[in-house]
DNA sequence: CTATGGCACGGATT
DNA sequence: AATCCGTGCCATAG
């Protein structure tokens, strides 16, 4: 018995590692599915009945008291309170509601995928036949919300006059996000202009610039633009400013807080966060509560009945059952490992980035995953897995990817932005470099220029004339 | 000559 | 191994 145990254990360790890593990289949502699967397929696994806290209705683990309600009333330390909280009750219902509302009016169509979201808006204006075409068009959007097929093809396929297809397309384009379903960024922006023109005044030449000369804009050939349009550079500046502030060439790209989503431009829809962070008792001066969401609503354990049944089992069933048992054991261990890692990670990160969490972006301390890994004595790839694919809800209700805690350029960029917004008169890039140097940030002039461009801020000489 | 954008390279990060 | 980021160099505009 002992021998066989050893034998099984050895190959297990590698399997164990592999499993832990895959589980680590899953988000709560994904993991909870995984657990459901495992529960359904493995008779050795059992979900223990849950106990809920009488005060806040949170599901409790084991015999531990409720971590929130039993927390001391007066707190005077900087360390965050950390605890794990089970899935189903992880956010009090009202809070979750609010969060959804927030997501809808401030961020982007969340909840469902883009095609469905758009389709629901327009379905009522269309005949059933038109709906078919619309649905077909919507399935051919790329990640940016642009249409990837030629309407002509669609027209042929559905034996419908092109004009009719185009009409359906334009219905789509007028839905939220405005411009979705266009064939090109230019087209999308033109649609957005149309829609904006109902309520706003559009600067002269804006339309012409978008229509004919958008290439020049992206190449920043502003003076050239003025020449082509035969107008003053001031008009061009105004138009360009309007464009960069109001138009979005890629309708589907959500503006998450600031303009930035290159790493995960594909999915901006966040459902359940993996971790919640909020100040204790909602007082910002209190320590932060870090609530790591568990994918379970109870305790996972080996079914004792199953264990004893093995002994009396027929020999042919025995092996099968034993492997089930091993798998179950492994699974539980892995999940515990996962939680342990995440908890330790969050503890570190939250302590380090407290200012960022409560005060906002510019207080983000640049940290690399490697550094944290070293401090926690784990391999950096472990951290990578733990960080990827997960989201955190901040005290201000905003849900951001956990990876944003590790951005190493963002802080410089925000400082640049701040300097420019506080400037009394336009500063050239070189001058900004000097100011940055005084703050202890040493960067090249070229770098400042890049950040400025990323923020869509015009060059100094252009900023000067526009109010 | 100064201020900036484009291109592309090397080193760090993932 | 693949990517991202800061930079240096050069071209261009004024």
């Amino acid at each position: 018995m002992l021998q066989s145990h050893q034998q099984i254990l050895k190959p297990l360790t590698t399997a164990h590692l592999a499993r832990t890593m895959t589980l680590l990289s899953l988000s709560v949502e994904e993991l909870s599915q995984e657990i459901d699967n495992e529960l359904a397929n493995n008779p050795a696994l059992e979900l223990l009945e849950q106990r809920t806290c009488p005060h806040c209705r949170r599901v409790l683990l084991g015999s531990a008291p409720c971590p929130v309600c039993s927390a001391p009333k007066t707190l005077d330390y900087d360390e965050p309170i950390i605890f794990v909280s089970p899935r189903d009750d992880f956010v009090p219902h009202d809070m979750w509601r609010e969060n959804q509302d927030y997501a809808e009016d401030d961020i982007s169509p969340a909840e469902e995928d883009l095609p469905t979201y758009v389709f629901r808006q327009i379905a009522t204006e269309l005949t059933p036949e038109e709906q078919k075409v619309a649905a077909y068009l919507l399935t051919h959007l790329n990640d940016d919300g642009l249409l990837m097929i030629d309407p002509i093809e669609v027209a042929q396929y559905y034996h419908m006059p092109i004009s009719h297809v185009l009409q359906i397309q334009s219905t789509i384009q007028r839905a939220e996000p405005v411009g979705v379903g266009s064939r090109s960024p230019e087209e999308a922006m033109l649609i957005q202009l149309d829609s904006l023109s109902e309520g706003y005044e559009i600067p002269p030449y804006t339309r012409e610039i978008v229509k004919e000369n958008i290439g020049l804009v992206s190449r920043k050939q502003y003076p050239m633009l003025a020449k082509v349009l035969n107008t003053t550079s001031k008009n061009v500046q105004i138009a360009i400013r309007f464009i960069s502030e109001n138009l979005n060439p890629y309708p589907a790209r959500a503006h998450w807080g600031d303009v930035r989503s290159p790493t995960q431009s594909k999915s901006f829809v966040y459902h359940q966060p993996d971790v919640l962070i909020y100040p204790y008792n909602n007082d910002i001066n209190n320590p932060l509560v870090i609530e790591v969401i568990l994918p379970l609503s109870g305790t996972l354990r080996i079914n004792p009945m199953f264990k004893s049944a093995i002994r009396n089992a027929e020999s042919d069933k025995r092996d099968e059952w034993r492997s089930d048992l091993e798998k179950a054991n492994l699974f539980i261990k892995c999940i515990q490992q996962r939680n342990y890692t995440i908890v330790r990670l969050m503890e570190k990160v939250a302590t380090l980035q407290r200012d960022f969490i409560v005060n906002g972006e510019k207080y983000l301390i640049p940290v690399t995953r490697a550094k944290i890994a070293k401090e926690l004595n784990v391999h950096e790839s472990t951290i990578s897995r733990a960080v990827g694919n997960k989201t955190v809800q901040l005290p201000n209700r905003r849900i951001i990817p956990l990876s944003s805690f590790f951005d190493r350029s963002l802080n410089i960029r925000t400082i640049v932005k701040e300097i420019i917004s506080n400037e009394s008169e336009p500063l050239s890039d070189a001058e900004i470099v000097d100011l940055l140097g005084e703050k202890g940030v040493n960067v090249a002039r070229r770098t400042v220029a890049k950040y400025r461009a990323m923020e869509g801020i015009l060059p100094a000489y252009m900023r000067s004339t526009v109010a």
Side-chain angles (χ1 to χ4, degrees):
Chain A
M1 184 62 206
L2 228 160
Q3 247 189 0
S4 70
H5 198 78
Q6 296 261 325
Q7 275 170 6
I8 294 175
L9 216 78
K10 249 199 172 164
L12 255 184
T13 38
T14 56
H16 179 222
L17 228 69
R19 198 69 201 279
T20 316
M21 300 218 290
T22 35
L23 290 185
L24 189 58
S25 60
L26 296 179
S27 69
V28 203
E29 279 181 317
E30 292 160 337
L31 186 57
S32 71
Q33 273 200 352
E34 187 71 23
I35 289 177
D36 289 345
N37 273 342
E38 203 72 23
L39 272 174
N41 297 328
N42 195 331
L45 215 53
E46 179 187 61
L47 189 63
L48 209 60
E49 201 37 46
Q50 62 198 31
R51 204 164 54 83
T52 54
C53 171
H55 304 294
C56 66
R57 299 187 353 263
R58 277 191 175 75
V59 181
L60 303 181
L61 297 175
S63 56
C66 175
V68 175
C69 300
S70 69
K73 283 287 175 248
T74 53
L75 300 149
D76 53 351
Y77 44 86
D78 292 331
E79 298 287 305
I81 311 169
I82 298 217
F83 64 90
V84 291
S85 166
R87 172 178 77 192
D88 291 340
D89 218 5
F90 71 93
V91 187
H93 269 302
D94 47 334
M95 190 167 164
W96 182 230
R97 253 273 63 121
E98 284 179 43
N99 188 41
Q100 282 183 334
D101 293 344
Y102 177 84
E104 262 181 42
D105 56 35
D106 198 14
I107 313 291
S108 66
E111 285 300 289
E112 49 195 353
D113 61 5
L114 186 65
T116 324
Y117 177 75
V118 176
F119 187 78
R120 287 236 316 250
Q121 298 174 63
I122 59 172
T124 50
E125 324 178 11
L126 303 175
T127 68
E129 194 191 357
E130 289 170 333
Q131 285 181 12
K132 263 191 224 160
V133 178
Y136 184 76
L137 287 172
L138 286 171
T139 55
H140 287 266
L141 296 178
N142 67 7
D143 290 342
D144 293 331
L146 300 178
L147 189 63
M148 296 308 282
I149 52 169
D150 196 322
I152 295 178
E153 288 175 36
V154 183
Q156 286 171 349
Y157 185 77
Y158 282 97
H159 305 294
M160 181 181 274
I162 290 199
S163 58
H164 198 171
V165 174
L166 290 180
Q167 184 198 322
I168 295 171
Q169 185 195 8
S170 86
T171 308
I172 293 175
Q173 287 170 319
R174 283 196 308 272
E176 279 287 328
V178 177
V180 66
S182 300
R183 293 294 322 269
S184 66
E186 290 88 335
E187 195 183 337
M189 290 165 85
L190 283 174
I191 303 282
Q192 289 162 17
L193 270 184
D194 283 340
S195 136
L196 280 173
S197 66
E198 287 165 18
Y200 297 82
E201 193 166 328
I202 309 233
Y205 298 104
T206 307
R207 186 173 296 275
E208 285 76 3
I209 291 177
V210 174
K211 211 172 194 169
E212 318 278 348
N213 307 90
I214 201 72
L216 290 177
V217 176
S218 53
R219 267 176 283 131
K220 320 276 180 191
Q221 313 265 7
Y222 306 126
M224 176 75 92
L225 261 180
K227 245 180 229 169
V228 172
L229 294 172
N230 194 19
T231 179
T232 64
S233 77
K234 183 163 183 179
N235 280 335
V236 172
Q237 292 161 35
I238 295 173
I240 293 210
R241 171 168 287 225
F242 184 86
I243 289 173
S244 66
E245 281 175 8
N246 296 295
L247 302 186
N248 180 357
Y250 307 105
R253 278 191 204 170
H255 285 240
W256 198 272
D258 280 11
V259 195
R260 181 182 174 81
S261 57
T263 39
Q264 337 195 332
S265 56
K266 62 176 190 326
S267 85
F268 47 88
V269 180
Y270 298 107
H271 295 266
Q272 302 184 351
D274 294 84
V275 178
L276 305 178
I277 300 182
Y278 50 91
Y280 182 70
N281 275 345
N282 268 331
D283 182 343
I284 205 70
N285 298 313
N286 278 336
L288 296 173
V289 177
I290 316 268
E291 196 163 345
V292 177
I293 307 308
L294 274 194
L296 311 158
S297 50
T299 310
L300 220 46
R301 67 164 188 183
I302 301 289
N303 187 335
M305 305 269 283
F306 187 88
K307 224 173 178 177
S308 59
I310 267 193
R311 286 194 201 118
N312 318 325
E314 322 261 323
S315 61
D316 57 331
K317 289 246 173 184
R318 205 166 180 167
D319 283 347
E320 192 191 326
W321 286 9
R322 184 169 288 151
S323 98
D324 277 347
L325 189 66
E326 288 299 339
K327 267 199 291 189
N329 245 323
L330 174 63
F331 192 66
I332 293 175
K333 274 232 180 75
C334 290
I335 290 190
Q336 286 173 348
Q337 184 97 57
R338 174 185 187 273
N339 292 337
Y340 179 61
T341 311
I342 295 184
V343 165
R344 289 208 310 160
L345 168 67
M346 288 315 299
E347 187 174 18
K348 259 280 183 286
V349 170
T351 313
L352 183 66
Q353 305 281 24
R354 186 176 206 282
D355 285 339
F356 164 63
I357 293 167
V358 298
N359 294 328
E361 280 192 83
K362 53 186 161 180
Y363 297 96
L364 181 70
I365 300 172
V367 171
T368 64
R369 292 151 222 251
K371 253 184 218 159
I372 297 283
K374 214 171 179 183
E375 289 186 41
L376 290 179
N377 280 321
V378 292
H379 196 280
E380 49 181 83
S381 74
T382 312
I383 300 291
S384 252
R385 287 170 191 284
V387 166
N389 243 334
K390 298 202 178 42
T391 54
V392 181
Q393 179 177 322
L394 301 182
N396 62 13
R397 292 283 165 68
R398 180 159 280 176
I399 300 177
I400 62 169
L402 182 50
S403 54
S404 357
F405 283 78
F406 293 91
D407 200 311
R408 72 207 123 130
S409 82
L410 195 135
N411 61 336
I412 303 184
R413 208 169 79 206
T414 23
I415 299 178
V416 170
K417 198 164 83 173
E418 197 177 59
I419 289 183
I420 294 181
S421 62
N422 288 344
E423 78 190 0
S424 45
E425 59 191 58
L427 297 165
S428 74
D429 290 348
E431 289 165 319
I432 294 177
V433 171
D434 291 341
L435 285 176
L436 239 36
E438 287 167 23
K439 291 197 175 198
V441 188
N442 287 319
V443 282
R445 181 234 104 216
R446 190 67 192 73
T447 309
V448 173
K450 271 222 159 125
Y451 285 140
R452 192 170 43 64
M454 278 191 215
E455 296 293 346
I457 300 169
L458 296 170
Y461 65 88
M462 290 216 122
R463 274 180 275 140
S464 59
T465 35
V466 188

